[in-house]
Amino acid sequence: MIQERYKIAKEQYAALGVDSDVAMQKLRAISISLHCWQGDDVGGFERAGSELTGGGIMATGSHPGKARTLSELRADIEKALSLIPGQHRLNLHACYLDNGGKFVDRNEISIDHFQSWVDWAKDNQMGLDFNPTFFSHPKAADGFTLSHADSGIRQFWIEHGIACREIAAQMGRQLNTPAVTNVWIPDGFKDTPADKKAPRERLTDSLDKIFARELPANCNLDAVESKLFGIGAESYTVGSHEFYMGYALSRKKLLCLDSGHFHPTEVISDKISSILNFIPELLLHVSRPIRWDSDHVVILDDELRAIARELVTGDFLTRTHIGLDFFDASINRIAAWTIGTRCMIKALLIALLEPTETLRQAELAGDYTARLAIQEELKTLPYGAIWDQYCLEAGVPVGFDFINELKNYENIILPARS
Ligand code: RNT
Ligand code: ZN
Protein backbone atom coordinates (compact mmCIF):
# COMPACT_ATOMS: atom_id res chain seq x y z
CA MET A 1 0.00 0.00 0.00
CA ILE A 2 2.67 2.51 1.07
CA GLN A 3 4.84 1.51 -1.89
CA GLU A 4 1.96 1.75 -4.33
CA ARG A 5 1.10 5.20 -3.12
CA TYR A 6 4.76 6.11 -3.38
CA LYS A 7 4.92 4.96 -7.00
CA ILE A 8 2.01 7.17 -7.98
CA ALA A 9 3.37 10.15 -6.07
CA LYS A 10 6.81 9.66 -7.59
CA GLU A 11 5.25 9.92 -11.06
CA GLN A 12 3.43 13.10 -10.15
CA TYR A 13 6.66 14.71 -9.00
CA ALA A 14 8.56 13.34 -12.00
CA ALA A 15 6.08 15.13 -14.26
CA LEU A 16 7.31 18.36 -12.70
CA GLY A 17 10.93 17.36 -13.20
CA VAL A 18 11.48 16.41 -9.55
CA ASP A 19 13.10 13.07 -8.67
CA SER A 20 11.70 11.97 -5.32
CA ASP A 21 14.40 9.31 -4.86
CA VAL A 22 17.04 12.02 -5.10
CA ALA A 23 15.07 14.16 -2.65
CA MET A 24 15.03 11.31 -0.14
CA GLN A 25 18.71 10.68 -0.65
CA LYS A 26 19.49 14.33 0.09
CA LEU A 27 17.22 14.25 3.12
CA ARG A 28 19.10 11.28 4.58
CA ALA A 29 22.25 13.40 4.71
CA ILE A 30 20.67 16.12 6.88
CA SER A 31 21.18 15.89 10.63
CA ILE A 32 19.04 17.74 13.12
CA SER A 33 20.45 18.55 16.54
CA LEU A 34 17.93 17.36 19.13
CA HIS A 35 17.97 19.44 22.28
CA CYS A 36 18.42 17.35 25.42
CA TRP A 37 16.41 19.83 27.50
CA GLN A 38 12.99 18.84 26.14
CA GLY A 39 13.33 15.65 28.20
CA ASP A 40 13.15 17.19 31.66
CA ASP A 41 11.85 20.76 31.29
CA VAL A 42 15.37 22.28 31.21
CA GLY A 43 16.15 20.88 34.67
CA GLY A 44 19.53 19.22 34.26
CA PHE A 45 21.44 17.00 36.68
CA GLU A 46 23.66 19.27 38.71
CA ARG A 47 21.87 18.24 41.86
CA ALA A 48 19.10 15.75 42.56
CA GLY A 49 15.85 17.46 41.59
CA SER A 50 17.50 20.34 39.70
CA GLU A 51 14.99 22.70 38.14
CA LEU A 52 14.96 25.57 35.70
CA THR A 53 15.20 28.86 37.57
CA GLY A 54 15.52 32.36 36.18
CA GLY A 55 16.83 32.94 32.70
CA GLY A 56 13.59 34.47 31.55
CA ILE A 57 12.49 31.14 30.07
CA MET A 58 9.78 28.82 31.28
CA ALA A 59 8.47 25.31 30.70
CA THR A 60 4.78 25.05 31.49
CA GLY A 61 2.70 21.94 32.13
CA SER A 62 2.87 18.99 34.48
CA HIS A 63 2.70 15.90 32.34
CA PRO A 64 3.94 12.98 34.48
CA GLY A 65 7.06 10.95 33.81
CA LYS A 66 9.84 13.43 33.16
CA ALA A 67 13.35 12.03 33.15
CA ARG A 68 14.94 12.34 36.60
CA THR A 69 18.32 10.85 35.90
CA LEU A 70 20.88 10.67 33.14
CA SER A 71 19.93 7.10 32.33
CA GLU A 72 16.23 7.94 32.14
CA LEU A 73 16.96 10.87 29.86
CA ARG A 74 19.16 8.73 27.63
CA ALA A 75 16.52 6.02 27.44
CA ASP A 76 13.93 8.63 26.47
CA ILE A 77 16.14 10.12 23.78
CA GLU A 78 16.82 6.65 22.41
CA LYS A 79 13.08 6.02 22.29
CA ALA A 80 12.50 9.27 20.39
CA LEU A 81 15.33 8.47 17.99
CA SER A 82 13.77 5.10 17.21
CA LEU A 83 10.71 6.97 15.91
CA ILE A 84 12.55 9.58 13.87
CA PRO A 85 14.00 8.78 10.44
CA GLY A 86 17.64 9.65 9.77
CA GLN A 87 20.89 10.09 11.65
CA HIS A 88 20.88 13.02 14.05
CA ARG A 89 22.85 14.85 16.74
CA LEU A 90 22.30 15.63 20.39
CA ASN A 91 22.54 19.15 21.74
CA LEU A 92 23.66 19.16 25.38
CA HIS A 93 23.49 21.90 27.96
CA ALA A 94 26.30 22.10 30.49
CA CYS A 95 23.88 21.50 33.38
CA TYR A 96 23.32 17.96 32.03
CA LEU A 97 26.75 16.93 33.23
CA ASP A 98 27.55 13.56 34.75
CA ASN A 99 29.08 14.53 38.09
CA GLY A 100 28.65 11.13 39.71
CA GLY A 101 26.32 12.63 42.29
CA LYS A 102 28.87 15.13 43.59
CA PHE A 103 28.16 18.81 42.88
CA VAL A 104 30.69 20.48 40.59
CA ASP A 105 30.30 24.20 39.99
CA ARG A 106 30.01 25.57 36.48
CA ASN A 107 33.52 27.05 36.34
CA GLU A 108 35.06 23.70 37.25
CA ILE A 109 33.51 21.36 34.73
CA SER A 110 35.68 19.44 32.29
CA ILE A 111 35.37 16.72 29.68
CA ASP A 112 35.43 14.17 32.52
CA HIS A 113 31.87 15.23 33.37
CA PHE A 114 30.75 14.60 29.81
CA GLN A 115 32.73 11.51 28.92
CA SER A 116 29.74 9.28 29.54
CA TRP A 117 27.76 11.41 27.07
CA VAL A 118 30.53 11.12 24.48
CA ASP A 119 30.57 7.35 24.94
CA TRP A 120 26.79 7.27 24.65
CA ALA A 121 26.98 9.40 21.49
CA LYS A 122 29.54 7.03 20.00
CA ASP A 123 27.32 4.05 20.72
CA ASN A 124 24.42 5.83 19.05
CA GLN A 125 26.54 7.15 16.16
CA MET A 126 25.64 10.71 16.96
CA GLY A 127 27.52 13.97 16.97
CA LEU A 128 27.20 16.29 19.97
CA ASP A 129 26.63 20.02 20.24
CA PHE A 130 27.04 22.03 23.39
CA ASN A 131 25.81 25.03 25.41
CA PRO A 132 27.17 26.73 28.47
CA THR A 133 24.37 27.15 31.03
CA PHE A 134 24.06 30.78 32.13
CA PHE A 135 20.88 30.33 34.21
CA SER A 136 19.51 28.22 37.08
CA HIS A 137 22.40 29.30 39.29
CA PRO A 138 22.79 31.62 42.33
CA LYS A 139 25.31 33.74 40.40
CA ALA A 140 22.66 34.41 37.74
CA ALA A 141 19.84 35.04 40.21
CA ASP A 142 19.68 38.79 39.59
CA GLY A 143 19.39 38.27 35.86
CA PHE A 144 22.92 39.17 34.82
CA THR A 145 25.90 36.97 33.91
CA LEU A 146 28.53 37.94 31.34
CA SER A 147 27.44 41.58 31.41
CA HIS A 148 27.15 41.81 35.20
CA ALA A 149 28.43 45.02 36.78
CA ASP A 150 30.36 42.94 39.32
CA SER A 151 33.64 41.80 37.82
CA GLY A 152 33.81 38.75 40.11
CA ILE A 153 30.52 37.44 38.81
CA ARG A 154 31.54 38.18 35.26
CA GLN A 155 34.78 36.29 35.82
CA PHE A 156 32.89 33.24 37.10
CA TRP A 157 30.79 33.11 33.96
CA ILE A 158 33.76 33.76 31.70
CA GLU A 159 35.44 30.74 33.27
CA HIS A 160 32.29 28.72 32.63
CA GLY A 161 32.29 29.77 28.98
CA ILE A 162 35.96 28.88 28.59
CA ALA A 163 35.45 25.48 30.25
CA CYS A 164 32.53 24.75 27.92
CA ARG A 165 34.49 25.49 24.77
CA GLU A 166 37.26 23.15 25.90
CA ILE A 167 34.70 20.44 26.62
CA ALA A 168 33.03 20.93 23.26
CA ALA A 169 36.37 20.75 21.45
CA GLN A 170 37.07 17.43 23.16
CA MET A 171 33.65 16.15 22.18
CA GLY A 172 34.26 17.19 18.59
CA ARG A 173 37.70 15.61 18.56
CA GLN A 174 36.49 12.30 19.97
CA LEU A 175 33.44 12.11 17.77
CA ASN A 176 35.10 13.40 14.60
CA THR A 177 32.52 16.10 14.01
CA PRO A 178 32.70 19.66 15.30
CA ALA A 179 30.49 20.50 18.25
CA VAL A 180 28.63 23.78 17.82
CA THR A 181 28.91 25.62 21.13
CA ASN A 182 26.15 28.15 21.49
CA VAL A 183 26.27 31.05 23.92
CA TRP A 184 22.95 32.35 25.08
CA ILE A 185 22.72 34.54 28.18
CA PRO A 186 19.57 35.86 29.85
CA ASP A 187 20.99 39.26 30.79
CA GLY A 188 18.50 42.08 30.78
CA PHE A 189 16.33 44.48 32.75
CA LYS A 190 12.68 44.19 33.69
CA ASP A 191 12.29 47.96 33.58
CA THR A 192 13.79 50.87 31.67
CA PRO A 193 17.55 50.91 32.12
CA ALA A 194 19.50 54.02 33.02
CA ASP A 195 22.43 52.74 30.98
CA LYS A 196 22.08 50.48 27.99
CA LYS A 197 25.63 50.96 26.85
CA ALA A 198 27.77 49.68 29.70
CA PRO A 199 26.30 46.15 29.92
CA ARG A 200 26.81 45.72 26.17
CA GLU A 201 30.41 46.86 26.42
CA ARG A 202 30.95 44.45 29.28
CA LEU A 203 29.36 41.64 27.29
CA THR A 204 31.70 42.28 24.35
CA ASP A 205 34.65 42.17 26.68
CA SER A 206 33.50 38.95 28.38
CA LEU A 207 32.83 37.22 25.07
CA ASP A 208 36.25 38.23 23.76
CA LYS A 209 37.77 36.62 26.84
CA ILE A 210 35.78 33.43 26.41
CA PHE A 211 36.78 33.18 22.75
CA ALA A 212 40.39 34.27 23.25
CA ARG A 213 41.80 30.81 22.68
CA GLU A 214 41.56 29.72 19.10
CA LEU A 215 40.11 26.21 18.78
CA PRO A 216 40.28 24.06 15.64
CA ALA A 217 37.16 24.40 13.52
CA ASN A 218 37.01 20.66 13.00
CA CYS A 219 36.40 20.25 16.76
CA ASN A 220 34.46 23.31 17.86
CA LEU A 221 32.40 26.04 16.25
CA ASP A 222 31.25 29.03 18.31
CA ALA A 223 27.77 30.48 17.97
CA VAL A 224 26.04 33.40 19.69
CA GLU A 225 22.26 33.65 20.17
CA SER A 226 20.34 36.90 20.41
CA LYS A 227 16.98 37.54 21.99
CA LEU A 228 14.33 40.22 22.08
CA PHE A 229 13.12 39.87 25.66
CA GLY A 230 12.68 37.39 28.49
CA ILE A 231 10.23 36.92 31.33
CA GLY A 232 11.37 39.42 33.92
CA ALA A 233 13.60 41.11 31.37
CA GLU A 234 10.95 42.74 29.23
CA SER A 235 12.46 46.17 28.76
CA TYR A 236 16.01 45.50 27.72
CA THR A 237 18.10 42.55 26.58
CA VAL A 238 21.85 43.06 26.52
CA GLY A 239 22.42 40.45 23.79
CA SER A 240 20.01 41.84 21.22
CA HIS A 241 19.94 40.89 17.53
CA GLU A 242 22.00 43.90 16.47
CA PHE A 243 24.50 43.20 19.22
CA TYR A 244 25.18 39.63 18.17
CA MET A 245 24.94 40.34 14.48
CA GLY A 246 27.75 42.83 14.92
CA TYR A 247 29.64 40.51 17.21
CA ALA A 248 29.39 37.51 14.90
CA LEU A 249 30.39 39.59 11.88
CA SER A 250 33.37 41.22 13.51
CA ARG A 251 34.61 38.09 15.32
CA LYS A 252 33.75 35.58 12.59
CA LYS A 253 31.40 33.56 14.76
CA LEU A 254 28.26 31.66 13.85
CA LEU A 255 25.06 33.55 14.46
CA CYS A 256 22.23 31.62 16.07
CA LEU A 257 18.70 32.53 15.02
CA ASP A 258 15.95 31.29 17.34
CA SER A 259 12.45 31.44 15.82
CA GLY A 260 11.04 32.77 19.08
CA HIS A 261 13.48 35.61 19.61
CA PHE A 262 12.01 38.29 17.41
CA HIS A 263 8.89 40.42 17.25
CA PRO A 264 5.73 38.33 16.90
CA THR A 265 5.31 38.82 13.15
CA GLU A 266 9.03 38.84 12.38
CA VAL A 267 10.30 35.56 10.93
CA ILE A 268 13.76 34.03 10.78
CA SER A 269 13.14 32.44 7.37
CA ASP A 270 13.58 35.85 5.78
CA LYS A 271 16.87 36.48 7.58
CA ILE A 272 18.75 33.41 6.36
CA SER A 273 19.68 34.61 2.86
CA SER A 274 20.57 38.06 4.17
CA ILE A 275 22.87 36.93 6.93
CA LEU A 276 24.53 34.20 4.89
CA ASN A 277 25.70 36.91 2.50
CA PHE A 278 28.06 38.06 5.19
CA ILE A 279 28.49 35.32 7.79
CA PRO A 280 29.85 31.93 6.74
CA GLU A 281 27.64 29.73 8.91
CA LEU A 282 24.40 29.86 10.86
CA LEU A 283 22.96 27.96 13.75
CA LEU A 284 19.19 27.70 13.94
CA HIS A 285 17.10 27.15 17.03
CA VAL A 286 13.91 26.08 15.38
CA SER A 287 11.10 26.71 17.81
CA ARG A 288 7.48 27.89 17.76
CA PRO A 289 6.53 31.09 19.52
CA ILE A 290 2.87 31.57 20.35
CA ARG A 291 2.34 35.24 21.23
CA TRP A 292 5.71 35.24 23.00
CA ASP A 293 8.87 33.11 23.12
CA SER A 294 6.76 30.23 24.38
CA ASP A 295 8.85 27.40 22.94
CA HIS A 296 5.92 25.31 21.74
CA VAL A 297 6.65 22.05 19.92
CA VAL A 298 7.53 22.68 16.30
CA ILE A 299 4.72 21.83 13.89
CA LEU A 300 4.47 21.83 10.11
CA ASP A 301 3.34 25.44 9.85
CA ASP A 302 4.06 28.05 7.21
CA GLU A 303 7.17 29.37 8.93
CA LEU A 304 8.71 25.94 9.37
CA ARG A 305 8.15 25.28 5.69
CA ALA A 306 9.58 28.68 4.81
CA ILE A 307 12.71 28.01 6.88
CA ALA A 308 13.25 24.62 5.25
CA ARG A 309 12.61 26.08 1.80
CA GLU A 310 15.21 28.79 2.29
CA LEU A 311 17.81 26.26 3.41
CA VAL A 312 17.16 23.91 0.53
CA THR A 313 16.55 26.26 -2.37
CA GLY A 314 19.21 28.72 -1.22
CA ASP A 315 21.69 25.84 -1.09
CA PHE A 316 22.44 26.76 2.51
CA LEU A 317 22.26 23.31 4.09
CA THR A 318 26.02 22.89 4.31
CA ARG A 319 26.36 26.27 6.01
CA THR A 320 23.51 25.89 8.47
CA HIS A 321 23.37 23.81 11.62
CA ILE A 322 19.76 22.96 12.35
CA GLY A 323 18.99 22.76 16.05
CA LEU A 324 15.65 22.51 17.78
CA ASP A 325 14.65 24.51 20.83
CA PHE A 326 11.32 23.89 22.50
CA PHE A 327 10.20 22.54 25.83
CA ASP A 328 6.62 21.57 26.46
CA ALA A 329 5.86 19.93 29.81
CA SER A 330 2.14 19.57 29.10
CA ILE A 331 2.43 16.54 26.80
CA ASN A 332 4.51 13.38 26.72
CA ARG A 333 8.02 14.77 26.42
CA ILE A 334 9.27 12.00 24.16
CA ALA A 335 6.34 12.68 21.86
CA ALA A 336 7.32 16.34 21.85
CA TRP A 337 10.78 15.48 20.53
CA THR A 338 9.36 13.00 18.06
CA ILE A 339 6.66 15.27 16.67
CA GLY A 340 8.89 18.34 16.47
CA THR A 341 11.78 16.55 14.81
CA ARG A 342 9.57 14.63 12.39
CA CYS A 343 8.00 17.95 11.38
CA MET A 344 11.38 19.55 10.79
CA ILE A 345 12.36 16.63 8.55
CA LYS A 346 9.00 16.70 6.76
CA ALA A 347 9.43 20.40 6.03
CA LEU A 348 12.86 19.71 4.54
CA LEU A 349 11.40 16.94 2.41
CA ILE A 350 8.68 19.22 1.07
CA ALA A 351 11.34 21.76 0.18
CA LEU A 352 13.45 19.10 -1.53
CA LEU A 353 10.43 18.15 -3.64
CA GLU A 354 9.97 21.67 -5.00
CA PRO A 355 10.55 22.28 -8.73
CA THR A 356 12.73 25.23 -7.86
CA GLU A 357 14.15 25.76 -11.33
CA THR A 358 10.67 26.00 -12.86
CA LEU A 359 9.66 28.59 -10.28
CA ARG A 360 12.83 30.59 -10.86
CA GLN A 361 12.33 30.58 -14.61
CA ALA A 362 8.79 31.85 -14.19
CA GLU A 363 10.08 34.57 -11.88
CA LEU A 364 12.89 35.60 -14.22
CA ALA A 365 10.44 35.75 -17.10
CA GLY A 366 8.24 38.04 -15.04
CA ASP A 367 5.50 35.42 -15.11
CA TYR A 368 4.29 35.94 -11.57
CA THR A 369 0.95 34.38 -12.45
CA ALA A 370 2.59 31.03 -13.19
CA ARG A 371 4.79 31.38 -10.10
CA LEU A 372 1.78 31.83 -7.84
CA ALA A 373 -0.26 29.13 -9.56
CA ILE A 374 2.55 26.57 -9.27
CA GLN A 375 3.31 27.48 -5.66
CA GLU A 376 -0.31 26.95 -4.71
CA GLU A 377 -0.78 23.69 -6.65
CA LEU A 378 2.37 22.31 -5.03
CA LYS A 379 0.68 22.56 -1.66
CA THR A 380 -1.67 19.69 -2.41
CA LEU A 381 0.79 17.35 -4.09
CA PRO A 382 1.13 13.98 -2.31
CA TYR A 383 4.29 14.62 -0.31
CA GLY A 384 2.73 12.53 2.45
CA ALA A 385 3.23 9.43 0.30
CA ILE A 386 6.93 10.26 -0.11
CA TRP A 387 7.24 10.90 3.62
CA ASP A 388 5.69 7.52 4.41
CA GLN A 389 8.06 5.78 2.04
CA TYR A 390 10.96 7.66 3.64
CA CYS A 391 9.94 6.44 7.10
CA LEU A 392 9.44 2.91 5.81
CA GLU A 393 12.89 2.81 4.24
CA ALA A 394 14.40 4.26 7.43
CA GLY A 395 12.78 1.53 9.49
CA VAL A 396 10.77 3.88 11.71
CA PRO A 397 7.00 3.88 12.25
CA VAL A 398 4.93 5.13 9.33
CA GLY A 399 2.11 7.61 9.83
CA PHE A 400 0.17 7.35 13.06
CA ASP A 401 2.00 4.22 14.25
CA PHE A 402 4.47 6.06 16.43
CA ILE A 403 1.64 7.27 18.66
CA ASN A 404 0.92 3.75 19.91
CA GLU A 405 4.59 3.06 20.44
CA LEU A 406 4.78 6.13 22.64
CA LYS A 407 1.61 5.21 24.49
CA ASN A 408 3.12 1.81 25.31
CA TYR A 409 6.32 3.43 26.54
CA GLU A 410 4.28 5.88 28.55
CA ASN A 411 2.23 3.11 30.15
CA ILE A 412 5.12 0.82 30.95
CA ILE A 413 8.10 3.05 31.71
CA LEU A 414 6.85 6.43 32.80
CA PRO A 415 4.53 5.54 35.76
CA ALA A 416 7.50 4.17 37.71
CA ARG A 417 8.92 7.69 37.75
CA SER A 418 6.37 9.40 39.94
C1 RNT B 1 16.33 30.98 25.52
C2 RNT B 1 17.13 30.47 24.37
C3 RNT B 1 18.04 29.34 24.67
C4 RNT B 1 17.44 28.30 25.57
C5 RNT B 1 18.29 27.08 25.78
C6 RNT B 1 17.79 26.23 26.89
O1 RNT B 1 15.37 31.86 25.16
O2 RNT B 1 16.28 30.13 23.32
O3 RNT B 1 18.50 28.79 23.48
O4 RNT B 1 16.18 27.90 25.10
O5 RNT B 1 19.59 27.47 25.97
ZN1 ZN C 1 17.20 29.17 21.63
Side-chain angles (χ1 to χ4, degrees):
M1 181 64 174
I2 293 164
Q3 269 128 331
E4 281 160 30
R5 284 177 55 229
Y6 176 69
K7 242 186 102 203
I8 298 166
K10 184 178 158 67
E11 278 167 21
Q12 265 179 283
Y13 282 103
L16 292 170
V18 175
D19 186 333
S20 52
D21 287 328
V22 171
M24 290 198 289
Q25 196 184 324
K26 286 186 181 159
L27 191 58
R28 260 175 231 120
I30 307 174
S31 289
I32 313 292
S33 194
L34 269 80
H35 52 312
C36 74
W37 54 92
Q38 164 59 61
D40 72 334
D41 317 336
V42 210
F45 302 117
E46 260 177 340
R47 295 189 161 89
S50 284
E51 277 185 358
L52 170 63
T53 55
I57 54 177
M58 212 167 121
T60 56
S62 55
H63 195 84
K66 82 167 176 189
R68 300 162 305 176
T69 62
L70 277 162
S71 53
E72 286 179 357
L73 185 70
R74 286 176 188 151
D76 290 357
I77 298 168
E78 285 166 27
K79 185 70 208 172
L81 289 171
S82 74
L83 308 172
I84 298 167
Q87 202 60 44
H88 302 291
R89 305 173 63 86
L90 182 70
N91 194 6
L92 278 176
H93 238 287
C95 60
Y96 288 76
L97 80 175
D98 184 354
N99 60 16
K102 208 172 138 262
F103 178 76
V104 183
D105 213 346
R106 304 262 169 99
N107 58 340
E108 282 166 353
I109 54 173
S110 72
I111 186 65
D112 297 346
H113 308 110
F114 292 90
Q115 194 55 48
S116 67
W117 275 116
V118 175
D119 297 341
W120 177 89
K122 254 187 213 154
D123 289 345
N124 288 281
Q125 294 173 319
M126 291 177 90
L128 291 177
D129 296 306
F130 202 49
N131 304 260
T133 310
F134 294 100
F135 50 84
S136 304
H137 190 281
K139 286 198 167 70
D142 65 1
F144 283 85
T145 61
L146 291 178
S147 73
H148 206 288
D150 180 309
S151 64
I153 295 191
R154 281 204 308 282
Q155 183 56 29
F156 174 83
W157 290 114
I158 291 167
E159 288 171 19
H160 177 54
I162 292 173
C164 286
R165 287 181 80 231
E166 298 295 330
I167 293 166
Q170 289 282 347
M171 289 173 167
R173 198 165 292 131
Q174 291 192 45
L175 296 169
N176 256 319
T177 168
V180 179
T181 305
N182 179 50
V183 170
W184 172 74
I185 60 163
D187 300 28
F189 280 117
K190 181 184 177 77
D191 225 326
T192 319
D195 182 358
K196 290 189 170 188
K197 184 174 78 164
R200 289 186 169 139
E201 288 173 348
R202 291 194 290 262
L203 177 55
T204 304
D205 184 64
S206 295
L207 290 170
D208 285 348
K209 289 186 169 126
I210 290 177
F211 297 132
R213 192 163 115 88
E214 191 95 18
L215 292 171
N218 60 354
C219 298
N220 176 73
L221 295 166
D222 300 304
V224 287
E225 179 181 9
S226 72
K227 189 161 173 173
L228 182 66
F229 82 100
I231 299 173
E234 290 85 357
S235 297
Y236 166 73
T237 292
V238 184
S240 62
H241 179 54
E242 290 71 16
F243 178 91
Y244 280 121
M245 180 92 172
Y247 192 86
L249 268 170
S250 59
R251 271 49 168 196
K252 303 197 169 18
K253 298 295 175 194
L254 277 69
L255 188 68
C256 172
L257 296 176
D258 182 307
S259 329
H261 289 191
F262 296 88
H263 288 281
T265 59
E266 192 178 353
V267 285
I268 65 165
S269 54
D270 189 46
K271 300 181 188 296
I272 295 168
S273 59
S274 293
I275 292 170
L276 283 175
N277 254 286
F278 307 105
I279 294 183
E281 290 182 40
L282 271 182
L283 169 64
L284 298 184
H285 270 190
V286 183
S287 191
R288 181 165 55 107
I290 305 272
R291 304 189 190 282
W292 67 289
D293 181 31
S294 59
D295 290 294
H296 278 64
V297 177
V298 163
I299 58 171
L300 190 60
D301 58 12
D302 286 350
E303 172 59 0
L304 188 72
R305 293 180 56 158
I307 292 169
R309 182 180 183 278
E310 284 303 309
L311 298 182
V312 170
T313 65
D315 208 8
F316 293 136
L317 282 166
T318 52
R319 295 169 58 196
T320 310
H321 305 261
I322 309 173
L324 302 174
D325 186 8
F326 48 78
F327 27 99
D328 187 345
S330 75
I331 61 170
N332 178 309
R333 294 169 184 79
I334 307 151
W337 268 318
T338 308
I339 296 164
T341 315
R342 282 173 69 111
C343 284
M344 183 71 244
I345 302 168
K346 250 185 249 179
L348 288 162
L349 175 64
I350 295 169
L352 286 161
L353 290 167
E354 181 189 285
T356 304
E357 210 29 55
T358 308
L359 286 166
R360 284 200 186 151
Q361 288 310 325
E363 185 164 285
L364 284 173
D367 190 354
Y368 304 144
T369 310
R371 182 181 66 183
L372 183 64
I374 296 167
Q375 282 168 340
E376 289 311 298
E377 283 307 305
L378 287 174
K379 288 183 180 169
T380 48
L381 282 192
Y383 55 78
I386 317 278
W387 167 245
D388 286 350
Q389 175 73 13
Y390 185 71
C391 289
L392 187 76
E393 287 182 19
V396 304
V398 174
F400 299 92
D401 290 357
F402 77 88
I403 304 169
N404 280 337
E405 283 229 22
L406 282 171
K407 283 265 178 265
N408 288 341
Y409 190 83
E410 177 152 279
N411 293 338
I412 296 162
I413 310 277
L414 302 189
R417 294 185 185 172
S418 53

